[in-house]
């Protein structure tokens, strides 16, 4: 199973078509527009959550897969979207500040969602993947709420970060980055992660294409 996660930034149909041309089985797409604004090729299905039509969190998958949003989905967590795919849990992640969860910061939003979903994460082979909006040294981080706290929780649960496992690099010392703030080459951060308790067949970061996004896509194969 191949999964691509890509914050496509400022959705357009052309961007979506370009990303779908990679022929993955599942796509995790922060900043995807709502289903009524999206045209999917034949043979694909979609789940989506969001507060505004042009910017939410979407999962797109090949309809040959037996996949569904579980009935224990918790819409209060913005935005964490689970999909059960033939016994495997895909947890799409894009912790986002909204009117409902201010003044919480991204690490707190992420950790609260993960802890609430813990009973389901722990009983499934799971991939938690997306734009986590968190990096080492982030303004306002605390010992309780930080990307380090997220990594510590993942380790406690027996999960590994696909990028850090593949490269052997430490959190905060990544040689590659996944986000270019304001599309600037010199303003780079590592925000996009794939955590899993499943053996990894392959993991890759895409080359940055400023015509598509300020983010870099990631591909994980299990």
């Amino acid at each position: 199973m191949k999964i691509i996660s890509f914050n496509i930034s400022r959705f357009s149909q052309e961007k979506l078509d370009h990303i779908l041309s990679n022929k993955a089985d599942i796509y995790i797409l922060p900043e995807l527009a709502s289903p009524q604004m999206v045209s999917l090729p034949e043979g694909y299905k979609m789940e989506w959550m969001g507060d505004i039509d042009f910017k939410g969190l979407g999962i797109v998958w090949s309809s040959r897969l037996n996949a569904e949003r579980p009935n224990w989905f918790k819409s209060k967590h913005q935005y964490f979207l689970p999909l059960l795919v033939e016994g495997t849990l895909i947890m799409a992640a894009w912790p986002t500040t909204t009117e409902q969860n201010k003044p919480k910061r991204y690490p707190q939003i992420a950790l609260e969602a993960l802890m609430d979903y813990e009973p389901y994460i722990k009983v499934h082979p799971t991939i938690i993947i997306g734009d986590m909006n968190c990096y080492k040294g982030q303004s306002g981080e605390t010992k309780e709420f930080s990307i380090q706290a997220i990594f510590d929780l993942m380790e406690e649960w027996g999960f590994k970060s696909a990028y850090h496992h593949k490269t052997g690099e430490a959190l905060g010392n990544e040689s590659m980055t996944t986000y270019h703030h304001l599309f600037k080459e010199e303003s780079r951060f590592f925000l996009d992660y794939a955590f899993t308790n499943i053996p990894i067949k392959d993991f890759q970061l895409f080359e940055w294409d400023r015509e598509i996004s300020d983010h870099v896509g990631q591909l994980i194969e299990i």
Side-chain angles (χ1 to χ4, degrees):
M1 184 187 299
K2 292 184 178 181
I3 302 167
I4 287 175
S5 172
F6 208 145
N7 183 324
I8 56 178
S9 180
R10 305 171 188 170
F11 167 80
S12 72
Q13 184 64 45
E14 290 75 18
K15 288 183 180 183
L16 178 60
D17 293 342
H18 175 79
I19 292 167
L20 293 180
S21 71
N22 288 282
K23 303 299 182 184
D25 300 296
I26 302 171
Y27 300 85
I28 310 302
L29 300 171
E31 299 203 31
L32 184 64
S34 63
Q36 57 265 33
M37 298 180 66
V38 169
S39 177
L40 292 179
E42 184 176 353
Y44 286 91
K45 295 182 178 180
M46 175 179 172
E47 282 282 352
W48 185 87
M49 66 183 301
D51 294 319
I52 49 178
D53 283 346
F54 62 86
K55 190 176 182 181
L57 173 62
I59 307 178
V60 174
W61 69 92
S62 169
S63 56
R64 63 180 176 78
L65 297 174
N66 180 16
E68 63 178 358
R69 187 179 71 184
N71 58 13
W72 40 260
F73 162 66
K74 303 173 187 293
S75 60
K76 66 180 180 179
H77 293 300
Q78 297 167 306
Y79 299 120
F80 279 75
L81 181 57
L83 188 74
L84 279 175
V85 185
E86 300 173 5
T88 297
L89 172 59
I90 310 297
M91 178 65 73
W94 184 40
T96 302
T97 302
T98 67
E99 291 299 324
Q100 287 72 33
N101 59 23
K102 288 179 180 178
K104 297 176 183 178
R105 295 181 180 270
Y106 299 126
Q108 182 176 356
I109 295 168
L111 280 163
E112 288 180 353
L114 292 170
M115 292 302 296
D116 206 8
Y117 277 117
E118 178 185 8
Y120 310 102
I121 292 172
K122 284 192 169 181
V123 298
H124 290 96
T126 299
I127 299 174
I128 302 165
I129 184 169
D131 171 9
M132 297 295 287
N133 271 325
C134 300
Y135 62 92
K136 193 72 177 273
Q138 191 168 22
S139 174
E141 71 177 11
T142 66
K143 184 176 181 180
E144 184 179 10
F145 300 122
S146 65
I147 187 61
Q148 184 64 63
I150 293 171
F151 264 66
D152 291 346
L153 181 66
M154 293 294 96
E155 183 178 3
E156 178 185 330
W157 288 357
F159 282 67
K160 53 184 173 286
S161 161
Y163 173 87
H164 297 85
H165 177 74
K166 178 179 179 178
T167 64
E169 295 171 1
L171 175 65
N173 289 307
E174 297 87 1
S175 60
M176 303 178 71
T177 52
T178 69
Y179 172 63
H180 296 75
H181 185 55
L182 300 178
F183 290 83
K184 294 179 179 180
E185 177 63 39
E186 69 276 11
S187 185
R188 299 182 293 170
F189 301 88
F190 200 102
L191 299 183
D192 301 80
Y193 302 85
F195 299 102
T196 187
N197 58 2
I198 306 170
I200 300 168
K201 184 176 180 181
D202 189 25
F203 177 82
Q204 301 174 31
L205 289 182
F206 293 4
E207 293 291 330
W208 182 41
D209 184 348
R210 66 171 63 245
E211 298 300 318
I212 299 296
S213 178
D214 47 4
H215 282 258
V216 170
Q218 56 180 330
L219 180 148
I220 184 170
E221 184 175 4
I222 58 170

